[in-house]
Amino acid sequence: MTMTDGVLRCLQGHSFDVAKQGYVNLLRGAAKFSADTAAMVAARADFLAAGHYAPIAGALAALAREKAPEATGGDPGCVVDIGGGTGYHLARVMSEFPDSEGILLDISKFAARRAARAHPRISAVVADAWDGLPLADGAASVVLNVFAPRNPAELRRILRPEGVLLVVTPRPDHLRELVEALGLLRVGEQKDERLTDRLSAHFTEVARERSRSTMTLDHKALPQLVGMGPNAWHQQSERLEERIARLPEPCDVTLSVTLTAYRPLI
């Protein structure tokens, strides 16, 4: 695609206006997964702005810098975040790649609006990863996937042969102090192994790290945490308020994730 006067145009003659908020909508029909609502995105933006997930963003940026391929022919390739939400993690990673452009894809227009303003070198696109990624073959040197669904074949297609896919997934002890107390979704014990198995037709694992720390959350942050992700679809606000009121304030909560790096199979 080429950009002219705020309009993206493809070789087949289709055109897509860039919204005044700075993102472009390439979504075709209904998406496979439900898009985050405006309330969910607002909760995520506030929670992340407070720095509670800074350990994840820092570890992800460090791993990206370590595993990223060298630029070939003067072209560093782009950094792509699949299901990147508000752009919090991608913005942190972009600080490690001053010569690269970032592209964030999410099915939520509310997330894309915020992501477009998260960093001067991020372009935000509303698109469904299961309907084909709007990127050329081998366009990306680094692909991020943080707590989001993934389409292995498409991820492989857009990555350079020497590129790296970085996936962040929650561990079984993630938010363990809140699972019973607030009725949150549980993380399966073999989640990391299942992930590697699903990707095995297109990728090979080259590194795995664990990041574990403690968040200190007040009763304002707790509903933001619940409301910014999949748990939001399974909660009633009044019931959640009652459960939170029973917890100490502040409340120490475990932040525990796995960061896994993959190389494409040649």
Side-chain angles (χ1 to χ4, degrees):
M1 294 184 175
T2 57
M3 173 80 82
T4 305
D5 298 327
V7 178
L8 281 176
R9 302 183 189 279
C10 73
L11 296 177
Q12 284 74 38
H14 301 105
S15 61
F16 306 88
D17 294 335
V18 177
K20 63 180 179 180
Q21 297 90 346
Y23 72 95
V24 63
N25 193 335
L26 302 182
L27 191 63
R28 302 184 299 180
K32 180 174 181 178
F33 294 92
S34 297
D36 288 350
T37 64
M40 292 171 69
V41 171
R44 180 180 304 171
D46 290 343
F47 186 85
L48 295 177
H52 300 303
Y53 273 15
I56 298 177
L60 183 63
L63 187 59
R65 179 69 276 168
E66 176 187 345
K67 299 300 181 182
E70 296 293 332
T72 56
D75 178 12
C78 58
V79 181
V80 179
D81 193 351
I82 306 298
T86 61
Y88 175 79
H89 297 290
L90 179 57
R92 175 63 183 85
V93 171
M94 291 305 297
S95 66
E96 303 292 331
F97 299 91
D99 298 323
S100 296
E101 295 294 322
I103 300 176
L104 181 142
L105 296 98
D106 201 282
I107 59 172
S108 171
K109 65 181 181 181
F110 305 108
R113 288 173 182 173
R114 292 180 182 266
R117 304 189 300 269
H119 191 280
R121 286 184 284 114
I122 288 179
S123 298
V125 180
V126 178
D128 181 7
W130 294 93
D131 190 33
L133 298 174
L135 293 159
D137 294 357
S141 57
V142 178
V143 173
L144 312 177
N145 183 260
V146 183
F147 297 164
R150 61 205 66 85
N151 182 340
E154 276 294 277
L155 296 179
R156 172 63 188 89
R157 182 185 64 78
I158 68 170
L159 257 181
R160 292 180 172 183
E162 70 278 12
V164 63
L165 166 66
L166 303 177
V167 182
V168 179
T169 51
R171 294 189 51 74
D173 59 338
H174 183 57
L175 312 182
R176 62 183 179 85
E177 296 84 359
L178 304 179
V179 172
E180 290 291 344
L182 302 184
L184 305 187
L185 300 171
R186 295 181 180 275
V187 178
E189 290 290 339
Q190 302 300 319
K191 188 176 183 67
D192 293 340
E193 288 70 21
R194 290 197 300 271
L195 169 64
T196 295
D197 183 63
R198 291 192 187 108
L199 295 175
S200 62
H202 302 279
F203 295 91
T204 182
E205 181 180 324
V206 295
R208 184 185 297 191
E209 300 179 0
R210 294 176 179 176
S211 175
R212 192 176 191 276
S213 56
T214 299
M215 302 179 289
T216 301
L217 306 179
D218 58 21
H219 283 192
K220 179 182 178 180
L222 288 174
Q224 293 171 349
L225 174 61
V226 176
M228 72 182 194
N231 285 292
W233 303 108
H234 306 278
Q235 294 285 341
Q236 296 180 345
S237 58
E238 292 183 0
R239 177 61 173 151
L240 179 61
E241 290 177 4
E242 294 173 0
R243 288 176 164 179
I244 289 176
R246 300 191 192 108
L247 294 173
E249 187 176 21
C251 180
D252 287 341
V253 179
T254 299
L255 174 61
S256 182
V257 301
T258 300
L259 299 93
T260 311
Y262 299 89
R263 298 283 186 204
L265 292 175
I266 306 301

